[in-house]
Amino acid sequence: MTTPEPESYAQLIADCADIPTTLMTCEPDLPGPRAVTPWEVDDVTFAQVSSLEDYV
């Protein structure tokens, strides 16, 4: 079943009012923070951009 696009703000508000309150939570179930892995550049990657100044 497809739902037509609302044609007015009133229709949009009415459509939103039909959304079950269980779907309108303010705090989604997101995973907790992860440990940060330090970012490192190896010699091969550095060599690829060593002459970057020539292009800039």
Side-chain angles (χ1 to χ4, degrees), residues 4-28:
E5 293 292 320
E7 296 179 7
S8 67
Y9 284 117
Q11 187 179 6
L12 178 62
I13 292 169
D15 290 347
C16 292
D18 291 337
I19 297 174
T21 56
T22 56
L23 297 177
M24 294 190 285
T25 60
C26 294
E27 296 181 25

